Amino acid sequence: MSILSAPLLLLCTLLSLQFLILDGFQSNPLVLPLTHSLSHSQNPNFTVLHHLKSCALHSAARHRHRRHLPDRRKQVSLPLSSGSDYTFTASVGAPSAPTVVTLYMDTGSDVVWFPCSPFECILCEGKPSYPFATPPPPPPPASRPVTCGGAACSAAHSGLPASDLCAVAACSLDDIETSSCSAPCPPFYYAYGDGSLIARLRRGPLSLPGSAVPAAASSAAALHLKNFTFACAHSALAEPIGVAGFGRGPLSLPAQLAALSPSLAARFSYCLVSHSFKSDRLLRPSPLILGRTEPKPSEPDQNPPFVYTPLLHNPKHPYFYSVGLESLSVGPSRIPASSILRSVDRKGNGGMVVDSGTTFTMLPSDTYTNLANEFDRQMSRAGFERAAEAEDETGLRPCYYYEDRKQWRRRVPGLALHFSGNASVALPRRNYFMGLESGGRRLGCLMVTSGGDASGEEDYGGPAGTLGNFQQQGFEVVYDLQAKRVGFARRRCAALWEEMSRA
């Protein structure tokens, strides 16, 4: 049975009335532009050091929250820090009077939600998009509440039976027994790294204004779903922007799309433009490609091929894209990964999540310590001076001073990740040792962090590691749901955007 089989069975029920309109390219990819948060940051005082510290803290919060909350009902994966996330726009409501909403693209969650008026955001001061230039719109008039007896309501409430949900919705016993209650689905609560939200499920039109490949005659509304299930949030803690969950759950955007257009949802990819936390490097968007096709063996392809690693099933967290990390290389030295990174057990422990919403890669403390020690040994032998003060300022370690930019590029040891399935991914140096300035001196830090001890915790029930989006820059990352694998290939992402959007 394929990855999408279980979501499809559920979605055939909850989306049986949904109607999909595609502008004549059902089998062709759809390209959406991803915009980095740096492009619309409103805080001019937020320096590179601030970004690094914020992203290190929030990456740790996001990762550790997954590990310490084995109860699915208490968790949703959301992007947390400014300067580390990727957004795109969608239109909700009737096509004749649409409302444009901004959504984080997040492979670590499986619900699509956005703020709806009236909306209260607690502790949102300092966020790049808050306060709002205009208040969030009310729930789209063309949408309607999801009923308490529907499969979507049960999915949002972690599988609670419809009878319980309809009882909460104050349905009569007769209506519950006859499955005829039409009361709205009760609001649901989600908590995440350092925030939470309360939302209600609705169903209505949603459009993705991407570009068809090859381009359709008119791509102003390239994809329109008439009855899409989404959530309207009326209160949130620390997150004023909505999220498009691309995870493996039944309410995610790919799962809902797969029920009606498998060719678009069976393979999707993104290619994140390298930025080094500098907005002037984000002159082109990062392409998000729905329905990414793989070149046929007979077709010439000048790009490096994908290397694939198989997806692992997590029985407690099935919505994650988990893979096995077998080892890491620092220069010529091979470092075995902790055994808990290589597989997922029956209790949901282990594996590494490939996540577009976490900034820095997180490793269990023993694997991270071995990596950092070997990196420090080779850096010290190459003559680099340790920058202890920068470690406190950035939240990253180890850090080093350097003088000659060309020289450090030759002397910093390489770093590669070796996944199961013989998939080795050699990272560009800027993906793990980014140069910056502090106190008039040039320095760089190892941009991989410790996620804490992954064993011996009574309440541990989640992934042991996370592959963050900073380490994914400059790669096209493809999620092949049909073949149950994730692939990586080096790309010039800005050029890929130009190629795909003009095709």
Side-chain angles (χ1 to χ4, degrees):
M1 181 177 291
S2 70
I3 285 175
L4 291 179
S5 295
L8 280 173
L9 290 174
L10 176 61
L11 284 164
C12 285
T13 301
L14 68 91
L15 299 176
S16 58
L17 297 178
Q18 186 162 347
F19 175 67
L20 179 68
I21 301 173
L22 293 176
D23 293 339
F25 58 90
Q26 288 90 331
S27 62
N28 297 326
L30 178 72
V31 184
L32 305 176
L34 292 176
T35 302
H36 196 279
S37 300
L38 282 171
S39 300
H40 47 75
S41 176
Q42 298 176 359
N43 190 344
N45 298 319
F46 218 63
T47 65
V48 171
L49 289 175
H50 288 127
H51 280 299
L52 293 177
K53 183 74 170 183
S54 174
C55 291
L57 292 173
H58 288 84
S59 295
R62 180 176 166 106
H63 173 75
R64 288 171 182 165
H65 181 79
R66 288 173 176 157
R67 292 173 47 206
H68 288 280
L69 288 180
D71 185 348
R72 174 67 176 89
R73 288 172 290 179
K74 295 180 181 178
Q75 175 179 341
V76 67
S77 302
L78 296 178
L80 299 175
S81 65
S82 59
S84 64
D85 310 311
Y86 296 82
T87 64
F88 66 95
T89 60
S91 298
V92 294
S96 59
T99 298
V100 177
V101 294
T102 298
L103 303 169
Y104 285 119
M105 186 268 172
D106 184 19
T107 60
S109 65
D110 57 356
V111 176
V112 178
W113 72 270
F114 50 85
C116 294
S117 180
F119 179 73
E120 177 187 22
C121 197
I122 305 167
L123 299 180
C124 283
E125 291 74 14
K127 295 287 182 174
S129 59
Y130 195 83
F132 299 118
T134 58
S143 67
R144 62 192 183 280
V146 169
T147 61
C148 61
C153 185
S154 179
H157 286 274
S158 307
L160 284 178
S163 55
D164 290 359
L165 295 169
C166 287
V168 172
C171 297
S172 69
L173 181 59
D174 181 59
D175 285 343
I176 293 175
E177 293 291 351
T178 58
S179 300
S180 58
C181 183
S182 59
C185 178
F188 58 90
Y189 165 81
Y190 271 169
Y192 49 96
D194 62 353
S196 56
L197 63 96
I198 296 175
R200 285 184 176 272
L201 281 185
R202 299 185 69 88
R203 187 168 294 149
L206 180 138
S207 298
L208 299 176
S211 299
V213 181
S218 173
S219 59
L223 178 65
H224 174 66
L225 295 100
K226 186 177 180 181
N227 287 300
F228 188 84
T229 301
F230 58 88
C232 259
H234 294 284
S235 57
L237 174 67
E239 190 50 74
I241 294 181
V243 172
F246 272 69
R248 300 165 78 180
L251 295 179
S252 72
L253 193 150
Q256 294 196 57
L257 183 57
L260 296 165
S261 180
S263 63
L264 282 182
R267 281 171 58 96
F268 70 88
S269 72
Y270 53 74
C271 194
L272 305 180
V273 175
S274 299
H275 58 78
S276 301
F277 293 101
K278 297 177 181 178
S279 59
D280 59 359
R281 297 191 179 183
L282 295 166
L283 302 179
R284 296 288 185 275
S286 298
L288 167 62
I289 308 170
L290 303 179
R292 182 59 159 141
T293 56
E294 187 170 19
K296 298 178 182 179
S298 58
E299 295 177 350
D301 187 3
Q302 303 302 318
N303 292 316
F306 284 99
V307 293
Y308 290 99
T309 182
L311 283 167
L312 305 176
H313 174 65
N314 189 316
K316 262 193 175 178
H317 306 274
Y319 42 91
F320 287 147
Y321 295 103
S322 298
V323 298
L325 180 68
E326 296 185 345
S327 62
L328 306 94
S329 293
V330 178
S333 301
R334 192 91 164 211
I335 301 169
S338 171
S339 59
I340 202 168
L341 279 168
R342 302 178 188 180
S343 61
V344 179
D345 65 23
R346 288 180 295 176
K347 296 182 180 180
N349 301 346
M352 182 176 232
V353 173
V354 184
D355 187 11
S356 67
T358 297
T359 308
F360 298 135
T361 293
M362 312 292 297
L363 297 173
S365 59
D366 56 347
T367 303
Y368 168 76
T369 298
N370 292 337
L371 169 67
N373 287 345
E374 179 60 28
F375 189 79
D376 183 56
R377 185 183 71 82
Q378 294 190 31
M379 291 290 284
S380 298
R381 189 170 60 185
F384 286 89
E385 176 190 353
R386 190 76 175 257
E389 291 184 2
E391 294 172 4
D392 294 332
E393 291 179 329
T394 63
L396 301 168
R397 55 183 51 83
C399 296
Y400 305 89
Y401 293 114
Y402 66 89
E403 301 299 332
D404 189 322
R405 187 169 297 180
K406 291 183 179 180
Q407 188 176 24
W408 77 259
R409 289 177 179 171
R410 293 192 298 268
R411 292 159 57 197
V412 173
L415 177 61
L417 308 177
H418 306 287
F419 297 101
S420 58
N422 198 29
S424 294
V425 179
L427 300 180
R429 281 184 174 81
R430 63 175 176 271
N431 283 25
Y432 64 90
F433 192 80
M434 186 190 78
L436 59 134
E437 289 193 10
S438 177
R441 299 191 66 181
R442 294 174 178 168
L443 60 92
C445 302
L446 178 64
M447 303 181 79
V448 176
T449 58
S450 173
D453 187 5
S455 60
E457 298 176 2
E458 184 177 345
D459 59 353
Y460 174 68
T466 302
L467 180 63
N469 62 44
F470 197 86
Q471 279 65 52
Q472 297 176 48
Q473 293 178 104
F475 288 89
E476 185 178 1
V477 182
V478 62
Y479 296 76
D480 190 337
L481 308 186
Q482 192 169 32
K484 303 181 183 179
R485 60 186 184 174
V486 176
F488 304 89
R490 284 292 301 273
R491 295 284 187 267
R492 294 175 59 238
C493 296
L496 180 63
W497 163 258
E498 295 289 344
E499 173 192 341
M500 297 297 291
S501 61
R502 290 179 181 177

